[in-house]
Amino acid sequence: MNVEKIMQELELKHPGEVEYLQAVREVLESIEEFYNSNPQYEKAKIIERLIEPDRVLIFKVPWEDDKGEIHVNIGYRVQFNNAIGPYKGGLRFHPSVNLSILKFLGFEQIFKNALTTLSMGGAKGGSDFNPKGKSNTEIMRFCYSFMLELWRIIGPDTDVPAGDIGVGAREIGYLYGMYRKLLMENTGVLTGKGLNYGGSLIRPEATGYGVVYFTQEMLKTRGLDIKGKKVALSGFGNVAWGAAKKLNSLGAKVITISGPDGYIYDEEGISGEKVDFMLELRASNEDIVKPYAYKFKNSVFYEGKKPWEVPCDIAIPCATQNELDKTDAENLVRNGCICVTEGANMPCTPEAIEVIQKNKLLYAPGKAANAGGVATSGLEMSQNAMKLMWSAEEVDRRLNEIMKNIHSQCVKYGTESDGYINYVKGANIAGFIKVANAMLEQGIY
Ligand code: NDP
Ligand code: 2IT
């Protein structure tokens, strides 16, 4: 494979799809050496077949607001690759959603899902719908309309969507309600469901818990413990909340959270009722963290700033793509940070990753570190198929095992000659091998 040639062709075919092109380039560059020393992949044109989605459904989502006004949004489902199992990946409802973002997320999801060792292919979907400020009935009408198209291409053994930014238990409930009505079936067609209708215990916490389990494994490679470490988190959504809960229970100190309006610095640590307050902030639908500083007087709100300027031992970006850039990475290094774990998908820019890796910090890409969310979705699918429900302890034990296994795969394929573990390389190669071999074994279609 010649990365530059492939990228040039891809850029010509998909001009302006910057996030998608960024995600593909990262994978290609990190697997290039391995790929070229295993000619069976080139012979079968695995890369050319892997970088284009199997199919994309784009549809219109008309819905009526509470005043009777009609709106039209765009809905998408990108089914990227199902060589190892049914298409699987979240739905994102956010005004920034476009084809490029969903293709980057769907592409990443292929490798992430392969790393979990469960049988799940890669997909992503969503809409440019903005849930902010909408009433429950508006959300319900939008979700119903979205499912009136989506049902045609999903199914428990075909494609199993879940949540992502802007899609939580409430949205999954409405989507499931319409699917059940249309098909007269109760199956594991969506994950992240409520506990009353087939959801799994620990799924809401799973991404954040998994991120912390992975961080523990990384620290162990340097003989370090997470206890007592100061941790800067960004975001205040589902992933940041789960991470904060687990970090506190392990004796680490969470000192920041953030929203698009700025970040909160709380020297005393964000624990106990303060973590619960994160859920209230999210539920307010306002998408601002400023009210935290009104409620907890010893905390400070820094308007329009990012948390990466605060001295910390561990940084865990949990908000969105490209939120941590080169300058942020330089600040973290200067302030003595030892570990950056990606809770969000692709939150570090390529330039930031270069700085972090050059300075030999522990660094884990999202496709390895945040795989606990989709892994627990996979466990939800297993429970649904068996018509059984595991205890929280059982699910958590399996999640912990899966995260440790992902870490071992990264060490196996990512350890460099000087002993530094390149988790990007490790995760991409390990994920690639499973999918590529499945494709080889099944022929060219
Ligand atoms: P949530 O919707 O619960 O929270 C994310 C919120 O972060 C968004 O509402 C967004 O606000 C906010 N945000 C956006 N940009 C910034 C920014 N620059 N600084 C601070 N906050 C910002 O989403 P999740 O917690 O579910 O997802 C967060 C990340 O984790 C995403 O990258 C997602 O893909 C990833 N992820 C999620 C998993 C899951 O199971 N939910 C699993 C694995 C990964 P705004 O609307 O104003 O932009
Ligand atoms: O990015 C992700 O892995 C998710 N949003 C979770 C997907 C899932 O199917 O649980």
Side-chain angles (χ1 to χ4, degrees):
M1 135 171 79
N2 177 334
V3 176
E4 286 315 319
K5 188 164 169 279
I6 293 180
M7 288 310 303
Q8 267 173 19
E9 284 169 11
L10 206 62
E11 279 161 27
L12 280 176
K13 274 192 224 168
H14 307 289
E17 295 189 4
V18 286
E19 295 86 359
Y20 162 61
L21 295 166
Q22 179 185 337
V24 173
R25 177 178 281 280
E26 182 214 275
V27 170
L28 298 197
E29 283 179 348
S30 64
I31 67 166
E32 184 177 13
E33 200 186 323
F34 173 81
Y35 191 89
N36 288 340
S37 49
N38 289 276
Q40 71 273 25
Y41 298 129
E42 179 74 43
K43 191 159 175 272
K45 290 278 181 289
I46 293 291
I47 275 304
E48 287 78 353
R49 290 159 56 196
L50 204 51
I51 57 180
E52 289 289 349
D54 287 350
R55 68 192 65 76
V56 178
L57 177 68
I58 302 184
F59 50 98
K60 171 179 75 183
V61 191
W63 59 279
E64 193 181 354
D65 69 19
D66 289 343
K67 293 189 212 101
E69 200 175 314
I70 293 166
H71 303 265
V72 180
N73 285 96
I74 307 175
Y76 305 84
R77 185 69 179 167
V78 180
Q79 295 182 330
F80 229 109
N81 185 291
N82 67 347
I84 65 169
Y87 298 107
K88 180 85 194 89
L91 297 172
R92 178 177 289 193
F93 291 170
H94 193 270
S96 65
V97 162
N98 57 35
L99 190 55
S100 169
I101 288 179
L102 296 179
K103 278 170 70 179
F104 119 63
L105 289 162
F107 182 70
E108 291 277 287
Q109 202 81 41
I110 305 171
F111 303 93
K112 185 194 303 194
N113 294 3
L115 285 170
T116 67
T117 68
L118 305 173
S119 295
M120 299 181 290
K124 202 82 186 191
S127 174
D128 59 355
F129 173 72
N130 186 358
K132 229 163 289 164
K134 305 291 189 301
S135 70
N136 274 341
T137 50
E138 287 172 333
I139 298 277
M140 182 181 75
R141 283 195 292 273
F142 176 82
C143 289
Y144 281 180
S145 181
F146 188 87
M147 188 52 86
L148 278 171
E149 277 296 330
L150 188 69
W151 71 272
R152 297 174 206 283
I153 59 156
I154 63 171
D157 294 319
T158 311
D159 183 352
V160 183
D164 194 79
I165 290 179
V167 177
R170 175 182 58 171
E171 290 74 19
I172 293 292
Y174 295 141
L175 291 163
Y176 188 81
M178 180 50 86
Y179 182 89
R180 175 179 56 75
K181 190 83 187 160
L182 289 166
L183 279 93
M184 271 206 307
E185 67 171 44
N186 276 74
T187 55
V189 66
L190 294 167
T191 58
K193 299 186 291 297
L195 294 178
N196 292 320
Y197 59 97
S200 174
L201 289 160
I202 303 292
R203 178 62 189 89
E205 293 90 343
T207 310
Y209 277 21
V211 167
V212 177
Y213 294 151
F214 197 91
T215 305
Q216 280 183 297
E217 292 306 300
M218 290 202 290
L219 291 174
K220 272 191 216 160
T221 66
R222 297 201 180 166
L224 299 168
D225 191 349
I226 206 159
K227 196 168 175 198
K229 296 284 179 295
K230 280 189 185 173
V231 185
L233 296 181
S234 66
F236 65 108
N238 181 263
V239 179
W241 166 75
K245 263 179 81 166
K246 184 53 76 179
L247 286 164
N248 278 301
S249 77
L250 294 172
K253 194 175 186 186
V254 178
I255 52 173
T256 66
I257 52 171
S258 75
D261 54 332
Y263 77 91
I264 295 287
Y265 174 64
D266 189 336
E267 202 184 355
E268 292 171 355
I270 299 169
S271 62
E273 61 159 337
K274 296 173 176 176
V275 177
D276 299 334
F277 187 66
M278 283 168 73
L279 288 183
E280 278 178 50
L281 276 178
R282 289 295 308 144
S284 76
N285 242 349
E286 287 301 327
D287 204 31
I288 49 172
V289 286
K290 200 175 180 179
Y292 183 102
Y294 292 126
K295 190 165 164 72
F296 302 107
K297 295 293 175 212
N298 289 330
S299 66
V300 188
F301 173 66
Y302 291 93
E303 188 161 3
K305 297 240 172 148
K306 295 192 275 183
W308 317 126
E309 59 187 25
V310 171
C312 64
D313 302 307
I314 301 170
I316 311 186
C318 298
T320 195
Q321 63 273 358
N322 293 326
E323 56 162 308
L324 194 158
D325 63 19
K326 185 175 180 218
T327 311
D328 299 324
E330 286 166 350
N331 279 338
L332 288 170
V333 170
R334 190 173 321 111
N335 286 329
C337 176
I338 52 172
C339 176
V340 180
T341 316
E342 292 190 346
N345 287 308
M346 208 168 76
C348 297
T349 65
E351 297 76 25
I353 297 172
E354 207 184 315
V355 170
I356 293 166
Q357 290 188 326
K358 208 178 262 172
N359 286 279
K360 305 287 177 194
L361 269 65
L362 294 166
Y363 164 71
K367 64 168 75 69
N370 72 32
V374 72
T376 308
S377 278
L379 300 177
E380 184 172 327
M381 288 162 71
S382 304
Q383 294 170 78
N384 292 162
M386 292 189 298
K387 317 273 184 214
L388 282 176
M389 192 172 175
W390 290 327
S391 66
E393 292 71 29
E394 174 72 12
V395 178
D396 196 22
R397 184 186 63 74
R398 287 175 187 265
L399 167 63
N400 190 282
E401 234 167 59
I402 289 170
M403 296 315 296
K404 284 184 172 159
N405 182 284
I406 296 175
H407 185 269
S408 305
Q409 295 180 66
C410 292
V411 172
K412 181 171 172 190
Y413 293 105
T415 305
E416 298 186 328
S417 51
D418 64 354
Y420 180 67
I421 304 165
N422 184 334
Y423 287 88
V424 177
K425 190 171 161 193
N428 286 334
I429 294 178
F432 171 79
I433 290 175
K434 180 166 178 175
V435 180
N437 289 349
M439 289 170 74
L440 285 180
E441 287 159 16
Q442 294 173 48
I444 59 171
Y445 295 109

